[in-house]
Structure formats: C-alpha cells, structure tokens
Amino acid sequence: MLPPLEKMEPIIHHFHKYLPLTEAEHELILSRIKHRQIKRRQMILQEGLVCHHYTFIVKGCFKMYGVDDRGIEHNIQFAAEDDWIADIGSFHSKKPSGFFIEAVEPSEIIQIEQQDLYFLYINIPKLDRIFKVIVENKYVELQNRVLQNISSTAQQRYVNFLEQYPTLASRLPNVQIASYLGITPEFLSKIRKDLSGK
Amino acid sequence: MLPPLEKMEPIIHHFHKYLPLTEAEHELILSRIKHRQIKRRQMILQEGLVCHHYTFIVKGCFKMYGVDDRGIEHNIQFAAEDDWIADIGSFHSKKPSGFFIEAVEPSEIIQIEQQDLYFLYINIPKLDRIFKVIVENKYVELQNRVLQNISSTAQQRYVNFLEQYPTLASRLPNVQIASYLGITPEFLSKIRKDLSGK
DNA sequence: CCCGTTTCTTAAACTATATTAAGGCCATTT
DNA sequence: AAATGGCCTTAATATAGTTTAAGAAACGGG
C-alpha cells in the first residue's frame, strides 16, 4: 500500500526541477519515503545518535546546531520549505552525529532512510546526478558563508543574511540569527539599532 | 593519440578509491583530460573569468581566494596532492567567478574542461556517483569549518588547523594561514607566541 | 485571560582582534 | 656587496565583539 499521493507530491515536484522522472521511478521513490508531522521544538536528530534520514521539508523550518563545552548552541544551518536537512557526514559514515536538528516551527516533512536512499541510488541512477547537483549548490552556499565569516564584520554579515534569506529573517527569532552569525544576541541588538539609525 | 599513461595514472587511481572503473571507462576518461605543469604564483583562475576546469592536483599546492574592496586577499581553501579545486558555482553557472586560484608551489595538475566533464557524466554514470561523494565529503569539511568560525576563538581555530592539516601547516607561510583563519598575520604571530609559552 | 517563558533591548566593564608602525631575517636579484 | 622583496615578529593604540545584569515587551500554554 502506497502512502497518500498528494502528501508526497512536493518531493516529486522537487526532483523534477532537476531532472524528469518516469512514472515507474515515482512509484519506486514513493514506496521508500515517509511523511511525518513534527511539532515545534521537536528534534529529528540528537547529538550522539546516527543520522538515519535525509529529511525534505514540505512545510515549516528547522535549525541544525552544535553545542559547545559551555552549553552554548551554534546554528550551522537553517532549512525551510523545499530544502533538505541532514548531517551528511554521520548519515554516510554511520558514526554518531555531533549535531542536533530541531523544528523551529510546526512542520511537515518527508524522510528517506539510509538503506532506502542507497536502494534508490542503485535503481534510479539519475538520483545520483540529482543529489550531486543538490549538494553542489549547498556547497557553493556554504563557501560564500565561509568567505563572509573570514572577511566581513558582524554588521555586514547580518545585512547580507537579511538580503539572502529575507523569509527566514522574518520567521526566526533574533537569538537564532545571532547564533547563526556567530555573535551574541546583545551585539545583534546593537547592530540593529545602529542600522535603524541610518 | 592518448596522452602518456603514467602521468594520468594518479587521477585513475583517485577514482578507483570511490568506485572500480573498467578499461573502456579509463580510456574514455583519459581521452578527455589534460596534464599541465604550473609554476609557483601562476594562476589557473582569475576573478571575472568563468571557471572552465575542474582541476585535480597531482603534485603541489594551490590556494583559492577572494579579494575584498580594500584589496585584501581572503583564502577560502587550500588544496594539495590527490585533491580537487574549482569554483564549482562559476563552473556550472558559466558566470564569471569572484575568485582566484593560484599555485603556492610549483605544481602538476590534471584538468577536465566543462564540456568534457558533462560528456563523461553522460557516458559514465558512475562518475555522477563518484563526484557526488567527493562533493559530499568537501561539504562536511566546510560545514565543520563554519562551525569553528562561529563558535571558536582564533587560537582554537589555529590549533585545530594544525591538527587537521599538519602537512599544509608546514608547507604554507603563516601569512596564508592567517588569511585562511580570518585573522591578521600580526595576530597569528601573537597566538603562536602565546602557544609556545605553554 | 493570566502567568511564566522567551525574546529584545540597554549599558558598563571587559576581552579578543585589528591597525599602524617599525625592525629584523632570509633568500634572490643586480 | 648592496639592494629588493617576502616573511615574521613586537608593541602601542584603536575597534569589534563579549559578558553581565537588568528591565520591558511579546508570546504560548494552560
């Protein structure tokens, strides 16, 4: 028995943006994915556990973060609609993750388990290509973030974040944005004050 | 006429670490790659130009950097033997790159042009898989770097760099390492002094 | 609708890092 | 031998960002 089609439609549509898939391929994919509702603050990955899923976000928003030795959270990435989130390192190595992935809004996701994704890679070689392109795009994004981190002030990074992710910026509390930028919430508050007085 | 086999061997060996390839696939790959000698300080990519190649490093070392509005260079990555370097964003979008890639040592490289790589992707689907895994690994590395940047002091980042890339650390001038860490050479000098006095 | 939390802000004191300037060392060129 | 340029260091001063503390505003859960 296949899951209700309409709930799975977004991920199929997502794949089609990269490469067309046949009906048979749709069916195969649908037979290997699961739809879930996630509550705000619910975690779909915890430090110390292996990351078993690639998670596609149909609706809602997640943060992925590490916790340092003083207990402070550091946001490595956000992901919202039509995006993926996973600890890719842990997922492939099957080693415990050092990260948490947590819903910052009530969310609706589609998950693929590791064995299922590997099965799909073997039976639909196109998916290798699709995920290659997905990861390449994410790599470029990260690379720009690194450049910003090593070359810009916190103010420039914040302005850039607002421009690059206007939707995220309005959905997320500033505390979370500060953590993503690598500054304290107090300092972000000061930056916002300085900017507004321009 | 195929290029001399012995010079191309390293890249074939590199691919084999990910997936076995047939003789026919070797030949096809060999027919589409070029071997080059590069002098110290020679650039294989300049800002404003499209990145036309994926570059595999047989011997030597490169830096990829951006230049800010004050003319200061910021090293985004280093790459040495058995590693790849390219501006992936520019390579796929065919838009002008914002980066430079420059040899920091006399080097020996193997390059694949964009059309040739696309040709190979089509004719050897395994290469989609191989490059997917390569980029995934690089993504994980970058992600850890971002975490370090937003959560650690310059001193911790430097110590971590020494541990993670001991070979690079001894081959590169400190000015270049400082630029990679996002600090001034003067401050790196201070960090080194503090560390040595422990 | 109220209570407890989370979120945002302000400000003073403090720490990490940048800037500027200068000098020394080493390898390479003239 | 002198000159050049790259590299590394030191130190004084300046700026960017943190810490601590506290209060006000907004929000979510019963």
Side-chain angles (χ1 to χ4, degrees):
Chain A
M1 194 189 67
L2 292 177
L5 185 59
E6 71 282 4
K7 294 205 164 175
M8 301 304 184
E9 203 262 332
I11 198 173
I12 299 295
H13 179 255
H14 176 78
F15 287 140
H16 268 266
K17 290 198 292 192
Y18 294 91
L19 276 184
L21 295 168
T22 67
E23 267 304 319
E25 288 165 341
H26 289 180
E27 304 258 323
L28 203 56
I29 292 170
L30 291 178
S31 74
R32 300 277 169 158
I33 62 183
K34 278 178 195 138
H35 186 273
R36 291 175 70 193
Q37 293 289 144
I38 306 290
K39 289 185 205 149
R40 191 174 125 93
R41 274 166 216 267
Q42 187 176 340
M43 298 192 185
I44 58 172
L45 173 65
Q46 286 183 253
E47 183 175 19
L49 302 180
V50 173
C51 179
H52 289 298
H53 303 90
Y54 254 60
T55 298
F56 175 80
I57 303 168
V58 177
K59 178 127 196 43
C61 186
F62 288 79
K63 62 177 176 181
M64 174 165 163
Y65 60 94
V67 177
D68 70 19
D69 34 14
R70 293 187 309 172
I72 298 173
E73 299 181 5
H74 300 278
N75 289 337
I76 299 162
Q77 70 166 294
F78 300 120
E81 285 82 14
D82 208 35
D83 199 359
W84 292 89
I85 196 157
D87 176 352
I88 298 184
S90 166
F91 183 88
H92 286 110
S93 69
K94 292 173 188 167
K95 288 183 191 155
S97 172
F99 305 128
F100 297 82
I101 300 179
E102 183 183 327
V104 297
E105 294 175 2
S107 303
E108 197 183 316
I109 62 180
I110 294 173
Q111 291 190 310
I112 313 185
E113 278 209 36
Q114 211 239 28
Q115 310 94 290
D116 289 318
L117 185 58
Y118 284 14
F119 171 90
L120 291 173
Y121 280 150
I122 291 168
N123 291 281
I124 313 177
K126 256 182 255 179
L127 280 181
D128 274 319
R129 167 84 62 104
I130 291 176
F131 277 94
K132 187 197 77 196
V133 175
I134 290 173
V135 180
E136 278 168 351
N137 291 338
K138 294 204 143 230
Y139 183 85
V140 171
E141 251 187 278
L142 256 197
Q143 192 166 259
N144 286 323
R145 181 148 169 231
V146 167
L147 177 59
Q148 286 259 330
N149 280 334
I150 65 177
S151 68
S152 309
T153 65
Q155 171 158 224
Q156 290 172 308
R157 265 143 52 214
Y158 176 61
V159 171
N160 194 267
F161 178 81
L162 293 181
E163 282 168 9
Q164 200 175 356
Y165 307 103
T167 349
L168 281 181
S170 60
R171 285 161 83 169
L172 293 164
N174 287 331
V175 195
Q176 299 302 328
I177 295 173
S179 163
Y180 177 92
L181 296 174
I183 60 177
T184 58
E186 291 85 354
F187 191 52
L188 176 54
S189 193
K190 194 195 171 207
I191 289 172
R192 285 159 55 77
K193 188 184 170 192
D194 292 352
L195 285 173
S196 71
K198 273 194 179 170
Chain B
M1 193 188 65
L2 291 178
L5 186 58
E6 71 282 2
K7 293 205 166 175
M8 301 303 184
E9 204 263 333
I11 198 173
I12 299 296
H13 178 255
H14 176 78
F15 287 139
H16 269 265
K17 291 199 291 191
Y18 294 90
L19 276 183
L21 295 169
T22 67
E23 267 305 320
E25 288 166 341
H26 290 179
E27 303 257 325
L28 203 55
I29 292 171
L30 291 178
S31 74
R32 300 279 169 155
I33 63 183
K34 277 177 195 139
H35 185 274
R36 291 176 71 193
Q37 294 289 145
I38 306 291
K39 290 185 205 148
R40 190 174 126 92
R41 276 167 214 266
Q42 187 175 341
M43 297 191 186
I44 58 172
L45 173 65
Q46 286 182 254
E47 184 175 18
L49 302 180
V50 173
C51 179
H52 289 298
H53 302 90
Y54 254 60
T55 298
F56 176 81
I57 303 169
V58 177
K59 179 129 194 44
C61 186
F62 289 79
K63 63 176 175 179
M64 174 164 161
Y65 60 94
V67 177
D68 69 19
D69 35 12
R70 294 187 307 172
I72 298 173
E73 299 182 6
H74 300 278
N75 289 336
I76 298 162
Q77 69 166 294
F78 300 120
E81 286 80 15
D82 207 36
D83 199 0
W84 292 90
I85 196 156
D87 177 351
I88 298 183
S90 166
F91 183 88
H92 286 110
S93 70
K94 293 174 188 166
K95 288 184 192 155
S97 172
F99 306 128
F100 298 81
I101 300 179
E102 182 182 327
V104 298
E105 294 175 2
S107 302
E108 198 183 315
I109 62 180
I110 294 174
Q111 290 190 311
I112 313 186
E113 277 210 36
Q114 212 238 29
Q115 311 91 291
D116 290 319
L117 185 57
Y118 284 13
F119 171 89
L120 291 173
Y121 280 150
I122 290 167
N123 290 282
I124 313 177
K126 255 182 256 179
L127 280 181
D128 273 321
R129 168 84 62 105
I130 291 176
F131 277 94
K132 187 196 76 194
V133 175
I134 290 172
V135 180
E136 279 169 350
N137 290 338
K138 293 204 145 231
Y139 183 84
V140 171
E141 250 187 277
L142 255 197
Q143 191 166 259
N144 285 324
R145 182 150 168 231
V146 167
L147 178 59
Q148 286 259 329
N149 280 334
I150 65 178
S151 69
S152 309
T153 65
Q155 173 159 288
Q156 290 171 309
R157 265 143 52 211
Y158 176 61
V159 170
N160 193 267
F161 178 81
L162 294 181
E163 282 166 9
Q164 200 176 356
Y165 307 103
T167 348
L168 282 181
S170 60
R171 285 161 84 169
L172 292 165
N174 287 330
V175 194
Q176 298 302 327
I177 296 173
S179 163
Y180 177 92
L181 296 174
I183 59 177
T184 58
E186 291 86 354
F187 191 53
L188 177 54
S189 191
K190 195 195 170 211
I191 288 172
R192 286 159 55 77
K193 188 184 170 192
D194 293 351
L195 286 173
S196 72
K198 276 196 178 169

